[in-house]
Structure formats: structure tokens, C-alpha cells
Amino acid sequence: MKVYPAFLALEGRPCLVVGGGAVGERKVLDLLAAGAAVTVVSPELTPRLQELAAAGRIRHLATIFSPNHLEGMFLVIGATDDEATNRQISAAAQAKKIPVNIVDAPALCTFIVPATIRRGELTVAIGTGGRSPALAKKLRQELADYFGPEYINYLNILGTIRDMVLARRRDQPDNAAFFRRLVASNLLELLRQRRLETLAQCLRDLLQEVLPPSEIQALVQEAVRQATAGMGEEVEV
């Protein structure tokens, strides 16, 4: 299957999952992580989905699938173990021009859900066009070791710096070159090693190219605060 890779903005959008088993649970959790408003159609739910329904995190319709359940939906995921039901879901969704994914049935899909690695706002997606989900899973496991939890704080620091630099000098032609130098620096390795005083000095050296001293210290303090988030450490910089 030839596909066009994209990241969908699902915040607040109504999404339907048909199937309340283990596979459906995984799909629901992924959609919730993206901020979607999730409805689950299934006579039964896993204990985790029952908890989410009881807490009002998802809407549960304890029935079998009907095309009427598609009304107002932004996308649909079929996660049942019944082939006839999955075909019905796919046909009904496509008739209404609603994007549909049927788990492990690429021929019934209009979009493929990639294997993903999430580190805060960093998302790494791996797709094989439906040819080998097993390979996508293997690659995800390998890349998960490379993209460790330090990437959460690393991306937060990069984003904070970018926001401040652009707020002060948005139209400067050398901004792009500065951001490239920033990601080419050893900030990530310093985070991994928790060498926070050295990280602070590295930031000062980089930021003196683009910001006045009065703003650098405040930004460095905020970056180190983000770097220590979850570590239970305080470092004077």
C-alpha cells in the first residue's frame, strides 16, 4: 500500500473505536494520548476501558456496530475479531468518506496506523505500508532504546529556546543556522550524563550569539529547571 505520511491533529475531535478487547484498548489509549474524544462501540470492555468509561474519559455504547455510530466521527478504527463486522465498518466508513483503519487488514483501510515511539511531544513513526507490521514493531523496539526519556527534556529545552529567540528576532536570516548549531551541540549528551552545570555553560556560550546577557540567564535557568524535571535535583546556575 502506498501511503502519504501525516500527523493528525485530533484534539477534541470525535473518533470511534469498534471493539473493546485488548487491541481496541491500545487504540483507545493512543487516541486519548492525542487528545481525541473517543467513543467505543462494544458489548464488552476490558477492565481498563471499563475504568475509562466510568471516569468519563471515553463514551461507551454497549452494543454491536451500526453504521449510525459513524455520524459526526472524524475517523474510525475497527478492532474486532469478526471479519464480517470489520468489512461492514470499512464499507460504511468509506461510504461516508470517513478515514478508517481496520487492524491487521490493510485492504480494508484508508489509512495505516504506524508503530510509534513517544517521548513527550517527540513522536517517531515507523510504517511499512502494511507489508510487515512485525518489522515495524521490531524497528520500534530498537529505536526506543535510542530515543531515551532524556529526549522529553531535550525537546522542551529546544522549544523554549526557539520561542524566546523568535520572539526577539523572528525575521533574522541567521536564525535557521543558529537552530542547527543548537541541535548539533552536545546538549543532549550533557542531559544524558546529567552534567547540568556544564549544560548551563554550553547554553550561555550558544545563546550569546543571539540574545542579550539579561535574557540569557533567565533562559538558562528555565532550561536547567526543565532538564531537572523528574530528577528531584536543584542546581544553581
Side-chain angles (χ1 to χ4, degrees):
M1 173 184 289
K2 293 182 179 179
V3 295
Y4 179 80
F7 289 94
L8 297 178
L10 296 182
E11 187 76 35
R13 294 187 183 273
C15 298
L16 179 69
V17 176
V18 183
V23 176
E25 178 183 308
R26 292 200 303 271
K27 301 304 179 181
V28 168
L29 293 176
D30 285 344
L31 290 170
L32 289 177
V38 181
T39 296
V40 179
V41 171
S42 178
E44 298 180 353
L45 297 178
T46 65
R48 177 62 176 140
L49 290 178
Q50 291 175 17
E51 292 174 2
L52 292 172
R57 297 280 311 282
I58 62 173
R59 175 173 171 246
H60 177 217
L61 302 178
T63 183
I64 61 174
F65 172 75
S66 164
N68 293 334
H69 295 140
L70 298 175
E71 292 300 324
M73 293 298 167
F74 182 75
L75 65 78
V76 181
I77 295 178
T80 82
D81 56 5
D82 183 86
E83 182 177 353
T85 300
N86 287 340
R87 290 186 178 278
Q88 182 189 16
I89 297 165
S90 176
Q94 292 190 55
K96 292 180 177 293
K97 309 298 183 184
I98 300 173
V100 59
N101 173 266
I102 305 298
V103 177
D104 292 335
L108 300 179
C109 299
T110 61
F111 73 94
I112 297 293
V113 179
T116 57
I117 301 162
R118 294 183 185 272
R119 298 291 183 263
E121 293 188 63
L122 174 66
T123 302
V124 180
I126 305 137
T128 62
R131 297 280 287 176
S132 179
L135 175 59
K137 181 178 180 180
K138 177 177 182 292
L139 293 174
R140 179 183 61 191
Q141 292 170 339
E142 293 174 356
L143 290 173
D145 293 333
Y146 179 83
F147 293 101
E150 68 276 2
Y151 271 86
I152 299 174
N153 293 336
Y154 180 51
L155 181 56
N156 287 339
I157 290 171
L158 295 179
T160 297
I161 292 172
R162 183 177 186 275
D163 290 345
M164 183 172 284
V165 170
L166 292 182
R168 184 173 183 84
R169 36 176 284 150
R170 176 170 294 276
D171 297 325
Q172 292 295 320
D174 59 343
N175 280 346
F178 166 72
F179 293 136
R180 288 195 295 270
R181 288 194 296 276
L182 188 66
V183 297
S185 72
N186 63 341
L187 289 177
L188 178 60
E189 190 58 33
L190 294 173
L191 269 173
R192 283 186 175 132
Q193 298 175 9
R194 298 191 180 186
R195 296 169 57 191
L196 301 181
E197 293 182 4
T198 306
L199 180 143
Q201 186 57 52
C202 178
L203 285 172
R204 291 190 188 95
D205 294 341
L206 288 164
L207 292 169
Q208 68 181 356
E209 306 174 25
V210 293
L211 293 176
S214 60
E215 295 183 8
I216 290 176
Q217 183 61 16
L219 196 154
V220 168
Q221 288 178 334
E222 174 59 18
V224 171
R225 184 195 67 77
Q226 293 179 359
T228 58
M231 294 182 185
E233 300 178 21
E234 293 187 6
V235 177
E236 293 292 334
V237 296

mmCIF file of all heavy atoms in Angstrom, residues 40-62:
data_model
loop_
_atom_site.group_PDB
_atom_site.id
_atom_site.type_symbol
_atom_site.label_atom_id
_atom_site.label_comp_id
_atom_site.label_asym_id
_atom_site.label_seq_id
_atom_site.Cartn_x
_atom_site.Cartn_y
_atom_site.Cartn_z
ATOM 1 N N VAL A 40 -16.403 4.239 22.164
ATOM 2 C CA VAL A 40 -16.137 2.818 21.949
ATOM 3 C C VAL A 40 -17.460 2.086 21.807
ATOM 4 O O VAL A 40 -18.338 2.193 22.672
ATOM 5 C CB VAL A 40 -15.320 2.201 23.111
ATOM 6 C CG1 VAL A 40 -15.086 0.712 22.862
ATOM 7 C CG2 VAL A 40 -13.992 2.930 23.271
ATOM 8 N N VAL A 41 -17.593 1.364 20.708
ATOM 9 C CA VAL A 41 -18.765 0.517 20.489
ATOM 10 C C VAL A 41 -18.357 -0.929 20.709
ATOM 11 O O VAL A 41 -17.507 -1.462 19.982
ATOM 12 C CB VAL A 41 -19.324 0.704 19.065
ATOM 13 C CG1 VAL A 41 -20.399 -0.343 18.774
ATOM 14 C CG2 VAL A 41 -19.890 2.099 18.893
ATOM 15 N N SER A 42 -18.933 -1.562 21.722
ATOM 16 C CA SER A 42 -18.611 -2.956 22.022
ATOM 17 C C SER A 42 -19.530 -3.459 23.128
ATOM 18 O O SER A 42 -19.737 -2.730 24.116
ATOM 19 C CB SER A 42 -17.153 -3.105 22.463
ATOM 20 O OG SER A 42 -16.864 -4.447 22.799
ATOM 21 N N PRO A 43 -20.056 -4.663 22.999
ATOM 22 C CA PRO A 43 -20.872 -5.206 24.090
ATOM 23 C C PRO A 43 -20.087 -5.359 25.387
ATOM 24 O O PRO A 43 -20.658 -5.245 26.475
ATOM 25 C CB PRO A 43 -21.331 -6.563 23.555
ATOM 26 C CG PRO A 43 -21.253 -6.421 22.063
ATOM 27 C CD PRO A 43 -20.071 -5.539 21.815
ATOM 28 N N GLU A 44 -18.781 -5.605 25.276
ATOM 29 C CA GLU A 44 -17.946 -5.806 26.459
ATOM 30 C C GLU A 44 -16.680 -4.963 26.347
ATOM 31 O O GLU A 44 -16.233 -4.620 25.248
ATOM 32 C CB GLU A 44 -17.571 -7.285 26.622
ATOM 33 C CG GLU A 44 -18.780 -8.202 26.834
ATOM 34 C CD GLU A 44 -18.375 -9.650 27.003
ATOM 35 O OE1 GLU A 44 -17.174 -9.962 26.823
ATOM 36 O OE2 GLU A 44 -19.248 -10.482 27.301
ATOM 37 N N LEU A 45 -16.088 -4.658 27.506
ATOM 38 C CA LEU A 45 -14.869 -3.869 27.562
ATOM 39 C C LEU A 45 -13.835 -4.556 28.448
ATOM 40 O O LEU A 45 -14.189 -5.289 29.374
ATOM 41 C CB LEU A 45 -15.147 -2.473 28.153
ATOM 42 C CG LEU A 45 -16.084 -1.536 27.403
ATOM 43 C CD1 LEU A 45 -16.258 -0.246 28.195
ATOM 44 C CD2 LEU A 45 -15.558 -1.243 26.008
ATOM 45 N N THR A 46 -12.569 -4.294 28.172
ATOM 46 C CA THR A 46 -11.514 -4.720 29.084
ATOM 47 C C THR A 46 -11.665 -3.958 30.398
ATOM 48 O O THR A 46 -12.306 -2.894 30.442
ATOM 49 C CB THR A 46 -10.124 -4.424 28.497
ATOM 50 O OG1 THR A 46 -9.960 -2.991 28.392
ATOM 51 C CG2 THR A 46 -9.937 -5.068 27.135
ATOM 52 N N PRO A 47 -11.070 -4.451 31.474
ATOM 53 C CA PRO A 47 -11.150 -3.717 32.744
ATOM 54 C C PRO A 47 -10.646 -2.280 32.643
ATOM 55 O O PRO A 47 -11.238 -1.366 33.235
ATOM 56 C CB PRO A 47 -10.269 -4.565 33.679
ATOM 57 C CG PRO A 47 -10.383 -5.954 33.137
ATOM 58 C CD PRO A 47 -10.443 -5.786 31.645
ATOM 59 N N ARG A 48 -9.563 -2.067 31.876
ATOM 60 C CA ARG A 48 -9.027 -0.706 31.728
ATOM 61 C C ARG A 48 -10.023 0.207 31.019
ATOM 62 O O ARG A 48 -10.248 1.354 31.432
ATOM 63 C CB ARG A 48 -7.711 -0.750 30.963
ATOM 64 C CG ARG A 48 -7.088 0.615 30.672
ATOM 65 C CD ARG A 48 -6.739 1.344 31.948
ATOM 66 N NE ARG A 48 -6.059 2.587 31.681
ATOM 67 C CZ ARG A 48 -6.273 3.714 32.344
ATOM 68 N NH1 ARG A 48 -7.159 3.733 33.333
ATOM 69 N NH2 ARG A 48 -5.612 4.813 32.051
ATOM 70 N N LEU A 49 -10.665 -0.302 29.967
ATOM 71 C CA LEU A 49 -11.655 0.506 29.268
ATOM 72 C C LEU A 49 -12.882 0.756 30.139
ATOM 73 O O LEU A 49 -13.493 1.832 30.073
ATOM 74 C CB LEU A 49 -12.058 -0.166 27.957
ATOM 75 C CG LEU A 49 -10.990 -0.194 26.860
ATOM 76 C CD1 LEU A 49 -11.498 -0.930 25.631
ATOM 77 C CD2 LEU A 49 -10.545 1.225 26.493
ATOM 78 N N GLN A 50 -13.236 -0.219 30.966
ATOM 79 C CA GLN A 50 -14.335 -0.010 31.912
ATOM 80 C C GLN A 50 -14.021 1.151 32.858
ATOM 81 O O GLN A 50 -14.877 1.984 33.154
ATOM 82 C CB GLN A 50 -14.601 -1.290 32.708
ATOM 83 C CG GLN A 50 -15.199 -2.431 31.899
ATOM 84 C CD GLN A 50 -15.339 -3.705 32.711
ATOM 85 O OE1 GLN A 50 -15.298 -3.681 33.931
ATOM 86 N NE2 GLN A 50 -15.502 -4.824 32.023
ATOM 87 N N GLU A 51 -12.772 1.200 33.311
ATOM 88 C CA GLU A 51 -12.351 2.291 34.200
ATOM 89 C C GLU A 51 -12.447 3.640 33.492
ATOM 90 O O GLU A 51 -12.929 4.624 34.072
ATOM 91 C CB GLU A 51 -10.914 2.060 34.679
ATOM 92 C CG GLU A 51 -10.736 0.872 35.607
ATOM 93 C CD GLU A 51 -9.268 0.615 35.916
ATOM 94 O OE1 GLU A 51 -8.417 1.398 35.421
ATOM 95 O OE2 GLU A 51 -8.969 -0.351 36.635
ATOM 96 N N LEU A 52 -12.009 3.677 32.245
ATOM 97 C CA LEU A 52 -12.050 4.929 31.489
ATOM 98 C C LEU A 52 -13.485 5.382 31.254
ATOM 99 O O LEU A 52 -13.796 6.578 31.333
ATOM 100 C CB LEU A 52 -11.321 4.755 30.158
ATOM 101 C CG LEU A 52 -9.807 4.559 30.235
ATOM 102 C CD1 LEU A 52 -9.244 4.200 28.873
ATOM 103 C CD2 LEU A 52 -9.130 5.819 30.777
ATOM 104 N N ALA A 53 -14.355 4.417 30.966
ATOM 105 C CA ALA A 53 -15.764 4.760 30.759
ATOM 106 C C ALA A 53 -16.392 5.276 32.053
ATOM 107 O O ALA A 53 -17.138 6.262 32.056
ATOM 108 C CB ALA A 53 -16.516 3.552 30.227
ATOM 109 N N ALA A 54 -16.102 4.598 33.171
ATOM 110 C CA ALA A 54 -16.668 5.008 34.461
ATOM 111 C C ALA A 54 -16.186 6.394 34.866
ATOM 112 O O ALA A 54 -16.909 7.153 35.522
ATOM 113 C CB ALA A 54 -16.298 3.982 35.535
ATOM 114 N N ALA A 55 -14.953 6.726 34.462
ATOM 115 C CA ALA A 55 -14.378 8.031 34.792
ATOM 116 C C ALA A 55 -14.788 9.120 33.803
ATOM 117 O O ALA A 55 -14.403 10.281 33.963
ATOM 118 C CB ALA A 55 -12.846 7.936 34.839
ATOM 119 N N GLY A 56 -15.566 8.745 32.788
ATOM 120 C CA GLY A 56 -15.982 9.719 31.799
ATOM 121 C C GLY A 56 -14.916 10.082 30.780
ATOM 122 O O GLY A 56 -15.084 11.045 30.031
ATOM 123 N N ARG A 57 -13.845 9.308 30.738
ATOM 124 C CA ARG A 57 -12.765 9.591 29.781
ATOM 125 C C ARG A 57 -13.138 9.151 28.371
ATOM 126 O O ARG A 57 -12.634 9.693 27.392
ATOM 127 C CB ARG A 57 -11.480 8.864 30.207
ATOM 128 C CG ARG A 57 -10.904 9.304 31.546
ATOM 129 C CD ARG A 57 -10.105 10.588 31.423
ATOM 130 N NE ARG A 57 -9.150 10.535 30.333
ATOM 131 C CZ ARG A 57 -7.963 9.903 30.378
ATOM 132 N NH1 ARG A 57 -7.625 9.232 31.482
ATOM 133 N NH2 ARG A 57 -7.139 9.933 29.354
ATOM 134 N N ILE A 58 -14.004 8.154 28.261
ATOM 135 C CA ILE A 58 -14.493 7.697 26.967
ATOM 136 C C ILE A 58 -16.005 7.526 27.050
ATOM 137 O O ILE A 58 -16.565 7.383 28.137
ATOM 138 C CB ILE A 58 -13.843 6.368 26.511
ATOM 139 C CG1 ILE A 58 -14.179 5.242 27.491
ATOM 140 C CG2 ILE A 58 -12.336 6.518 26.348
ATOM 141 C CD1 ILE A 58 -13.715 3.862 27.039
ATOM 142 N N ARG A 59 -16.644 7.524 25.885
ATOM 143 C CA ARG A 59 -18.075 7.232 25.795
ATOM 144 C C ARG A 59 -18.218 5.789 25.341
ATOM 145 O O ARG A 59 -17.594 5.373 24.378
ATOM 146 C CB ARG A 59 -18.705 8.187 24.782
ATOM 147 C CG ARG A 59 -20.170 7.961 24.473
ATOM 148 C CD ARG A 59 -20.665 9.109 23.591
ATOM 149 N NE ARG A 59 -21.999 8.877 23.084
ATOM 150 C CZ ARG A 59 -22.296 8.698 21.801
ATOM 151 N NH1 ARG A 59 -21.329 8.722 20.885
ATOM 152 N NH2 ARG A 59 -23.542 8.501 21.423
ATOM 153 N N HIS A 60 -19.052 5.035 26.041
ATOM 154 C CA HIS A 60 -19.212 3.618 25.728
ATOM 155 C C HIS A 60 -20.631 3.325 25.282
ATOM 156 O O HIS A 60 -21.601 3.670 25.978
ATOM 157 C CB HIS A 60 -18.876 2.753 26.953
ATOM 158 C CG HIS A 60 -19.100 1.297 26.710
ATOM 159 N ND1 HIS A 60 -19.593 0.451 27.682
ATOM 160 C CD2 HIS A 60 -18.906 0.520 25.598
ATOM 161 C CE1 HIS A 60 -19.694 -0.768 27.189
ATOM 162 N NE2 HIS A 60 -19.286 -0.752 25.926
ATOM 163 N N LEU A 61 -20.739 2.701 24.118
ATOM 164 C CA LEU A 61 -22.018 2.216 23.621
ATOM 165 C C LEU A 61 -21.975 0.694 23.658
ATOM 166 O O LEU A 61 -21.259 0.069 22.866
ATOM 167 C CB LEU A 61 -22.271 2.718 22.197
ATOM 168 C CG LEU A 61 -22.268 4.244 22.014
ATOM 169 C CD1 LEU A 61 -22.476 4.600 20.551
ATOM 170 C CD2 LEU A 61 -23.319 4.898 22.890
ATOM 171 N N ALA A 62 -22.705 0.105 24.595
ATOM 172 C CA ALA A 62 -22.648 -1.343 24.834
ATOM 173 C C ALA A 62 -23.561 -2.073 23.861
ATOM 174 O O ALA A 62 -24.600 -2.632 24.239
ATOM 175 C CB ALA A 62 -23.012 -1.657 26.277
#
